Amino acid sequence: MTMKTLYILTPLAPLIGAIAAGFFGKQLGRANSHRITIAGVGIAFLLSLLALRDNLANGMVFDETIYTWMTSGGLTFEVGFLVDRLTVVMMTVVTSVSLMVHVYTIGYMHDDPGYQRFFSYISLFTFAMLMLVMSNNYLQLFFGWEAVGLVSYLLIGFWYKKPTAIFANLKAFLVNRVGDFGFLLGIAAVVMYTGTLHYGEAFAVAPDLVGKTMEIIPGSAWSVLTVICIGLFIGAMGKSAQIPLHVWLPDSMEGPTPISALIHAATMVTAGIFMVARMSPLFELSETALTFILIIGSLTALLMGLIGIVQNDIKRVVAYSTLSQLGYMTVALGASAYSAAIFHLMTHAFFKALLFLAAGSVIIGMHHEQDIRKMGGLKKYMPITYWTSLIGTLALIGFPGFSGFFSKDAIIEAVHGSQTAGAGFAHLCLLLGVFVTAFYSFRMFFLVFHGEERMDQHTREHLHESPRVVTIPLILLAIPSVILGAMTIGAMVFGNYFGSAIQVAEKHDVLGRLAEDYHGVFGFVLHSFKYPAVYLALAGSVAAWFIYMRKPEIADAISKRFNFIHRLLENKYGFDDFNQKVFAGGSLRIADKLWSVGDVKLIDGIMVNGTANKIGMLSQLIRKVQSGFLYDYAFAMIIGLLAMLSIFILST
Amino acid sequence: MPILSIIIWLTILGGVLVLFVGDQRCRPVALAVSVLAFLFSLPLFFGFDRSTAALQFVEHVAWLPSFSINYSLGVDGISAPLILLTTFINIIVVISAWEVIKDRPAMYLASFQIMTGFMVGVFAAADAILFYVFFEATLLPMFLIIGIWGGPRRVYATIKFFLYTFLGSVFMLVALIYLYSEAGSFDIQTFHKLPLGANAQTLIFFAFLIAFAVKIPMWPVHTWLPDAHVEAPTAGSAVLAAIMLKMGGYGFLRFSLPIVPDASLQLAWLMILLSLIAVVYIGFVALAQSDMKKLIAYSSISHMGFVTLGMFIMFGIMANTQGSADISHAVLGLEGAMVQMISHGFISAAMFLCVGVVYDRMHSRMISDYGGVVNTMPVFAAFMVFFAMANAGLPGTSGFVGEFMVIIASFKANFWFAFLAATTLILGAAYTLWMIKRVIFGEVANDNVAALTDVNGREKLMLAMLAIMVLFFGLWPQPMVDLMHSSISNLVAHATVSKL
């Protein structure tokens, strides 16, 4: 099998599974549907591992066209694959998490009537996501980009009877479309100024665009590269849920938990991060865009983490945590530490998928109760869920030695050393974010697993550990959550693993400078104790323990004392209300006015029917001329004759 | 073999035959006629010489030699795809009417067959008078279709429809006669080469504009369309949106751009402005609709904005690149406009058929009468969500291709053109998916929805046929673009050279 065949088969295998389960789910039955989709994703996972092995062995970059989609206007639109060091990481992450989620779904969706449909969707998602990460051009990138958005829409609204679910999926799609709006303009700008849709060709021309400007508002010069990069990044803001386009992600929790893990935590939402890293040759050329990214990312990292503190829905806590972690990745991109961003993306994919699936396991145990105020003391009922959750939480807060520790510390250090404008602010936000992360993570952890059992009698009697199809994926995800960081940081962040896949300008190369001081994993851990991040994480954890385990009255006192802040957080800074009133409400008002005034009153009322009425009135007048009486006509003829005669006489 | 004549007269005479065999046996006859006509149109794809822009499958018979009016037919890369679309949609029409139309089905099906013949004639005519005759003739069957099988306000709608479009084409006739007096012939190709002064060009441009702007329709002469769609029976709406609107777009390509290129250049700003108003303004108006058919009608107008934008953006590109030789993006815009027309043919027909499917069961088009249709009609819901996504321009469906091409081409002319055009990404998704949310998803809204039965085999067949086309051209538009490439390049080369 040539590598090309292998790469084609990788996305195709889950697609075939999706088609089989989607169109023939009824005939296949439940068990066969999950078998065939799991087989498809399993094949994709194995092929990704082969691709990874092959790539590690010889480092060859595969960049070929699969078929020509269209040629028009001197442009070639193609479907093609670019498989390099960056791609294989993404492929492996996507397929492995997807495989875990597929297995987990057997347990989680066991009694759902839409079982086959669900498997079809998540396999379709895997296909779309692979197309996205394997693309070698902007057309296919956009295809994958929107296709994952489609599946996300279908899956958020999977329980289509729930009003909140079908509100959330429409919201998610539209907010993402706002991002895609910028993304598409960014792509159009790339095509206009580089004359190609192919990454490699566009990157090759990009350095010539430095200093080139365009007039968006007459009289002002905008750097072409900044316009391109900001356009593309707006797309990333939608998909990777950065402020102010983050509003869809918390609502997306209306979907079933497995997809919250797969799509809204581990893979799809990181597409924006991946895309910016992929476009590093462009982003490196625009300081303005990098600063913009830094600011947006750091605001997201801190502000979204803060909301996590006041959430009581187990999934929403994890969702806000995801938003905040995406902010960390974005900051890394802004600091030109692309490989640190991808590194965090990778570790986060595993530990966040773990946390979501563990949350799902808790939800199964609690009979679909999601309010953490009604939980407590689950440790003794659900030991595997408990221990794997603890591992996930430790990884999330950056406990030394766990995978999240390495990736988060790498980002914080990179921002610390970055010279890009805004890096100081970002550094501060991220450090505060570490405290906040530890605080909300352990708040949730303690409220769920420790303390008094606050659930009702009925639920308590039925509490038990989840079945093996649920716990095995938890265990399998817990392993990389612990070891993956230590295993790969040396190569990925401080080594030259990514090679030419990620390009960093000399002056931005903070990771390169940090690499000089990097002396192995152990040294990195020791080194971290000289910096505040570890202590902040510890402080956050202890504070959570003290407040929620020892003195719960403190929490109430604080929320009363700082009522304004508490309300601000509960209202999520008012983004939702603002959007609902101004954008949704405003659009509908505009729509209504344009319709009722523009079309109905002006065009139809005055112009069309008005003209018809005037013509009607005119014909009423003219009709009088044709009375049908002979004497009228005779009279008219005489008048006419007299008139003509008088003209004739006067003119001579 | 005179394929074009065969298609035209097969459907017209076939229509008469359908009328003749009567209500009992009309259905299979109509189906046979439509399938045969489609089969006869296939050589326009498979036997089409893609390397030339010249007319192919040419037929030429003197008709009124004293006025040098000829029965001359021929197709190029612009008309061939439109004829294929017409004969394809015609089959769908017959399937859609099968057991639904109980009142005078023979007359109904005959009207559609005859109309198909006329519409193919419009796209195949190489003589201006022949074009005009077919162009006007299409009004009559559509007039009957809306007038007889239409809804309660059909009288208002038909009169509005007829007067609007008829008034438009009167101006075109005047322009054609003027061109005849200058050229001494009604041959359209001769018009293309005819040198014309600036004033004459401007007047002719407006004469054509009135005719084609009403037909396609452009803002602000669009208000006949929502009324006509709402009152028309399902297949009437489908043909109206899928084919008849395209006659306007085709007119711009066949007449305005090549005959009066300088006036087109001069007035491109107006066309681009009106197109962008169509995209944005109409996009908002669609959002305000509570009637599904009206919503889709407004969505059609908004999508047609992309067609006119793609056609006239080349002059914007010329102005922006200071007349440099780089006209490649002009080709992109024009081909985008063509792709948008074809794709919209499938998608709008499908959307109207979807509404028809539930209308046949519920006898309501109002969004508020629905809710939770997916619970009782899961297969239908899957189709409708798919077509809605295509309508919202999702990549992988044909609805994406044309919009993508036109937006990229617009960027080359002006950032703001692309910016405003790209708002369709948000607006299109908003009005389409909001409708889907209210109609398809949610709990079963009422007893009528609870009593719905899912699509039957016939309905599945027609929707699946359209879905396959939408998906095929979304995943691989090359065969479609390839067909038109020579003709469009030639048109761009021709229209960018001044006649003054």
Side-chain angles (χ1 to χ4, degrees), chain B residues 31 38 84 125 199-200 214 220 222 227 235 239 252 267 311 314 320 334 337 456:
Chain B
L31 185 64
F38 177 67
L84 285 157
N199 288 336
V214 165
H222 62 278
D227 282 316
V239 171
F252 283 121
L267 294 162
M311 285 175 185
M314 68 167 169
N320 195 30
L334 270 178
N456 58 29

Side-chain angles (χ1 to χ4, degrees), chain A residues 286-327:
Chain A
S286 172
E287 297 283 332
T288 318
L290 289 177
T291 299
F292 182 67
I293 295 174
L294 264 180
I295 303 295
I296 294 286
S298 42
L299 287 175
T300 308
L302 180 61
L303 295 181
M304 293 300 116
L306 285 170
I307 298 182
I309 297 175
V310 300
Q311 293 296 314
N312 291 318
D313 182 312
I314 185 167
K315 280 180 75 182
R316 293 207 177 224
V317 178
V318 191
Y320 278 102
S321 151
T322 305
L323 283 169
S324 164
Q325 296 305 306
L326 288 166

